[in-house]
Amino acid sequence: MKEQIIQLLAGQLPSLTEAEISELIEIPPNPEMGDYAFPCFRLAKTLRKAPPMIAQELHDSITVPDFVEEIRVVGAYLNFFIKKDVFAKTMLSAVREEGFGSSKEGDGHTICIDYSSPNVAKNFHVGHLRTTIIGNSLYKIYSKLGYHVERINHLGDWGTQFGKLIVAYKKWGSEESVKEKGIEELMRLYVLFHQEADKDPALEDEARFWFAEMERGNEEALKIWQWFVEISLEEFKRTYRLLGMEFDHYMGESFYRDKTEDVVSRLSAAGLLTESEGAKIVDLEAYDMAPCLILKNDGSSIYATRDLAAIFYRKENYNFDKCLYVTGQEQRLHFQQVFKVVELLGNEWAKDGLVHIPYGLVSLGGEKLSSRDGNVIYAEDILLEAISKIRTIIEEKNPELEDKDTVARHIGVGAVIFNDLYNQRIKDVSFRWEHLLNFDGETGPYVQYTYARCSSILRKVEGYDSKADVDISFLTDEASLGLLKELSRFPAVVKEAANRYEPSVVARFSIAVAQAFNHYYTVNRINVEDPAERNARVLLVDITRRVLRDAVELLGITCVEQM
C-alpha cells in the first residue's frame, strides 16, 4: 500500500523520485491522523508556495484509489486513511510469510566485522561488553539480510604493553602466582608497573627494550608472551560462552607482525613514507590530520602498521565489500588516519569499504573504567550478578518454574545486552540494576515477559490452526491494527539498523511491539468460544511471538518460554 501511495504521489510530483517520496512518508503517531502522512515542507522552496497550500493542491489533484478510505489535509501534511479491512488483510498476509524480516539483498556480498578485541593480559571488563554486544548484533542483522559475515576478534596481543608486563613479571611476579591467579595476577603486575614507573621512568625504557626483543624474535620474550596470551584467551572465551557468542577468527595484532614489512614497502614505493625524529610517518597535514606513525624510532611497528596489514590481508583473503570496526569513539582519529593511508595507496574501495563504528563510554554508577589504574569491573561479574538477581526474583515470583537456572541465565544476560543496545550506540551507557532488571519498563525482561505471555496463551488454546483462513473483520479494531502496524515494520527496521549500523533500532522496535501487544491483550479477549474469532485473535498472538523472538535474536538475546 505504501508503494501504491508513492506511485500516486510521484504522478503529481515530477521533481521528486519515488525513493525520495518513500523517505518522506511517515506513519502518524496517532491512528486518528491516518495510516500514512506525506509532509510538504520540502516542496515549499521549489514550488514557492506555503506547505499547507501544496498539501491542499495535492489533495485536489489525486483520485482516491479503491484501498483508501479518505485523503485528508492536516496542516502541511497529506494524510492517507486506508480501509481497515484492506489494511489488516495486507499486513497480516505480509507478516505471516516465512522468513518475514529476512532479505537476499546481501547474497554474494561479504562483510568483515572487527569487534570485541580485548587486550591480552587485561581482564575483560564492562567496557569490552559494548564492542562485543554491538558487533555481535550487527553480525546477526547483516546475516538476516543475506550477507556473508566474517566475525573477527582482533586481539590486542602485541605492543609495548607486553614489554611492560615482561619487566613486571621478571621483577615482581612468579610462575606459581600467575598459574594460580591467571589474568588477575597479570592485571596486578600491569598496574604495579605503572605505579613503579611513575617513580622510576627508566622502567619505560626497559619495557621498550623487551618489546623490541619480541619483535626481533627473542625466544624468552616470546615464550612469556605466548603464555600470557593463552591464559587471557581462556578467560575471554568463558565470557563469550556466557554471552552465547562465537567468532570465526581470533586473529590478534601479532598475526600481522610478519606482514608489516609489506606495508612499509608499499608506502615507500608510493613515496608516502617520510622520516620524522627517527620515526617513519605518513604526513596527513593536507587532510587536517596528525601524521600516521608507521615505525617508531627504534624500528618497531605500531598498531597503525598492524591495522594496515590487517586491512590488506582481509581484502585479499575475504574480498569484503565492507570492513566494519566497532571500537570506542576515542579511536575515531586513528581510523581516519589508517583509512586515509589505504586510500592514498590508490585503493578507491577504502572510501566506502572501511567503516569505523564508534560507541560511547560505559560506567557503573557513572564512574569511567580504567585498566591502568586498576579501577575495573569484570564483564563476567556483571553478567553473573544479573543472573543471580533474576534467579532471586524467580524464586520469589515463580518458585515452581522448571529449569530456573537456564531461564535466569537467558533473562539476566539478555537484560545486560538489551540495556546496552536500547540507546543509540554513540551515547554513554550506565549499568544501574534498578532499571536494568525492571520487568515493567523499556527493558529486556519486559520484552522477554511479553514473549513468554504469548507462549503461555498458545499453550492454553485448543484447536488453533496457524494455516487456516482468517476472518479479517476480527482484526480491524484499533488495538489489532496498531499491533499489525508495528509488526509490519520489521523488514524496514532490519534494513534501517544495517544502514545506520544501529542495533538500537531493533531494540526499540521490540519494545514498541511488546507495548502494542500488551495493549491488544488488555482490550481483547483471546481464547473466546467463537472458533473463527479465536483463530484470528490467536494467530495475531502467534505472529507477535515469532516476530519478537526474531527481533531479540538480532540483539543476541535468547527468549524463554516460561518465566
Side-chain angles (χ1 to χ4, degrees):
M1 285 179 292
K2 182 181 177 182
E3 291 300 321
Q4 292 182 62
I5 291 172
I6 291 169
Q7 291 171 14
L8 199 65
L9 291 167
Q12 305 296 324
L13 300 170
S15 62
L16 294 178
T17 65
E18 290 190 6
E20 288 172 329
I21 293 171
S22 178
E23 289 180 4
L24 289 171
I25 288 179
E26 303 172 5
I27 295 177
N30 187 337
E32 294 179 3
M33 297 171 67
D35 301 297
Y36 295 101
F38 179 74
C40 298
F41 302 102
R42 179 172 167 180
L43 297 167
K45 187 175 181 180
T46 54
L47 298 180
R48 296 183 179 181
K49 296 177 182 178
M53 184 182 294
I54 297 170
Q56 187 62 55
E57 290 180 355
L58 275 174
H59 173 273
D60 296 342
S61 64
I62 289 175
T63 302
V64 179
D66 291 340
F67 66 92
V68 174
E69 188 76 46
E70 178 189 3
I71 302 176
R72 186 187 304 169
V73 176
V74 181
Y77 289 83
L78 194 63
N79 289 12
F80 294 80
F81 293 76
I82 310 300
K83 290 178 179 177
K84 290 183 177 180
D85 57 339
V86 176
F87 201 41
K89 184 177 181 179
T90 302
M91 289 190 289
L92 185 65
S93 176
V95 178
R96 288 181 80 174
E97 286 290 320
E98 285 294 323
F100 179 67
S102 300
S103 166
K104 294 184 178 180
E105 71 172 56
D107 282 4
H109 298 282
T110 294
I111 289 180
C112 291
I113 308 182
D114 180 323
Y115 63 106
S116 192
S117 311
N119 289 322
V120 163
K122 296 182 182 178
N123 59 18
F124 194 107
H125 63 66
V126 152
H128 294 125
L129 274 177
R130 291 224 71 190
T131 168
T132 307
I133 289 169
I134 294 168
N136 184 64
S137 181
L138 289 174
Y139 149 68
K140 290 177 176 291
I141 289 167
Y142 278 106
S143 296
K144 186 85 170 174
L145 295 175
Y147 289 89
H148 172 73
V149 182
E150 296 284 349
R151 298 168 291 178
I152 303 171
N153 198 327
H154 187 75
L155 295 169
D157 64 354
W158 202 250
T160 308
Q161 69 267 31
F162 293 100
K164 297 176 181 180
L165 264 175
I166 291 173
V167 171
Y169 172 68
K170 290 171 75 68
K171 286 183 178 296
W172 308 297
S174 70
E175 183 176 352
E176 294 74 19
S177 185
V178 172
K179 283 183 176 179
E180 178 187 350
K181 299 177 182 177
I183 208 165
E184 180 184 345
E185 174 65 4
L186 297 181
M187 278 295 298
R188 185 190 73 82
L189 292 172
Y190 184 75
V191 171
L192 181 58
F193 175 88
H194 284 283
Q195 291 171 345
E196 294 298 321
D198 286 341
K199 296 179 282 187
D200 181 9
L203 289 171
E204 296 283 358
D205 293 329
E206 285 190 55
R208 283 189 283 270
F209 167 79
W210 276 105
F211 176 56
E213 286 298 295
M214 285 171 57
E215 293 233 295
R216 283 191 281 268
N218 180 289
E219 187 175 334
E220 179 189 8
L222 290 178
K223 184 178 180 181
I224 297 172
W225 163 78
Q226 185 62 47
W227 181 37
F228 292 167
V229 171
E230 291 167 359
I231 289 170
S232 303
L233 195 54
E234 184 179 333
E235 297 208 22
F236 296 159
K237 287 184 177 181
R238 190 171 65 238
T239 301
Y240 295 139
R241 285 193 295 271
L242 199 55
L243 287 164
M245 298 178 185
E246 296 179 350
F247 291 87
D248 299 304
H249 312 283
Y250 288 92
M251 295 162 64
E253 291 185 69
S254 64
F255 178 80
Y256 304 99
R257 69 183 190 268
D258 63 349
K259 300 170 178 58
T260 56
E261 287 187 15
D262 178 62
V263 171
V264 175
S265 297
R266 293 189 192 207
L267 293 171
S268 296
L272 293 172
L273 209 58
T274 58
E275 188 171 320
S276 175
E277 298 179 7
K280 298 288 186 180
I281 64 165
V282 175
D283 188 349
L284 299 175
E285 185 179 358
Y287 308 97
D288 295 322
M289 282 186 266
C292 184
L293 180 60
I294 302 298
L295 292 176
K296 291 185 284 188
N297 53 18
D298 63 0
S300 59
S301 64
I302 193 170
Y303 53 88
T305 330
R306 298 186 285 276
D307 274 343
L308 288 165
I311 288 170
F312 296 132
Y313 177 88
R314 292 166 187 174
K315 188 64 176 177
E316 291 163 8
N317 286 271
Y318 309 130
N319 192 27
F320 60 75
D321 294 271
K322 285 191 176 183
C323 187
L324 313 181
Y325 292 79
V326 186
T327 72
Q329 58 183 330
E330 69 276 2
Q331 294 194 45
R332 190 189 299 270
L333 175 60
H334 164 72
F335 283 107
Q336 287 176 342
Q337 292 171 313
V338 169
F339 296 167
K340 177 56 71 173
V341 170
V342 176
E343 183 186 335
L344 291 174
L345 283 168
N347 302 296
E348 284 296 311
W349 48 263
K351 291 180 180 178
D352 298 318
L354 300 174
V355 183
H356 177 223
I357 300 174
Y359 55 83
L361 298 172
V362 182
S363 64
L364 191 70
E367 188 173 359
K368 184 183 174 182
L369 305 168
S370 166
S371 58
R372 170 175 177 150
D373 299 327
N375 173 26
V376 292
I377 298 169
Y378 282 48
E380 185 179 32
D381 289 346
I382 288 282
L383 295 169
L384 293 176
E385 182 72 9
I387 293 168
S388 175
K389 288 180 181 293
I390 291 292
R391 185 70 161 77
T392 300
I393 293 171
I394 291 172
E395 286 291 352
E396 293 172 357
K397 296 188 174 183
N398 192 4
E400 303 303 317
L401 180 68
E402 294 182 6
D403 203 3
K404 285 179 273 196
D405 290 336
T406 300
V407 172
R409 178 166 58 86
H410 288 316
I411 297 174
V413 171
V416 173
I417 292 173
F418 197 92
N419 181 72
D420 188 296
L421 296 180
Y422 182 67
N423 292 307
Q424 292 182 7
R425 57 179 161 75
I426 203 64
K427 293 185 177 180
D428 295 347
V429 167
S430 178
F431 284 91
R432 300 182 186 275
W433 295 119
E434 63 273 16
H435 171 75
L436 189 95
L437 304 178
N438 192 333
F439 281 73
D440 298 318
E442 297 175 348
T443 65
Y446 172 71
V447 177
Q448 291 265 33
Y449 180 75
T450 303
Y451 174 88
R453 171 176 276 177
C454 292
S455 296
S456 175
I457 293 169
L458 290 169
R459 286 194 299 271
K460 293 174 182 176
V461 172
E462 295 182 2
Y464 163 61
D465 184 356
S466 63
K467 293 185 170 61
D469 290 335
V470 176
D471 187 338
I472 291 296
S473 66
F474 294 115
L475 300 177
T476 55
D477 61 284
E478 177 269 330
S480 299
L481 283 173
L483 178 53
L484 276 169
K485 280 184 185 179
E486 290 298 341
L487 294 170
S488 69
R489 292 196 302 118
F490 189 40
V493 162
V494 179
K495 289 185 179 181
E496 182 185 354
N499 291 339
R500 291 173 50 195
Y501 314 112
E502 189 60 81
S504 67
V505 175
V506 179
R508 288 177 177 268
F509 165 78
S510 70
I511 288 291
V513 169
Q515 290 173 336
F517 172 80
N518 285 310
H519 175 60
Y520 165 77
Y521 178 78
T522 300
V523 301
N524 286 300
R525 288 185 60 215
I526 309 297
N527 197 3
V528 295
E529 291 184 6
D530 181 356
E533 181 178 359
R534 182 175 65 240
N535 214 67
R537 296 279 178 218
V538 177
L539 175 62
L540 196 45
V541 174
D542 193 5
I543 291 170
T544 300
R545 176 181 175 274
R546 175 164 54 82
V547 173
L548 269 182
R549 179 200 64 207
D550 291 351
V552 298
E553 280 185 356
L554 294 181
L555 304 176
I557 297 171
T558 302
C559 284
V560 296
E561 298 300 317
Q562 298 183 65
M563 289 174 64

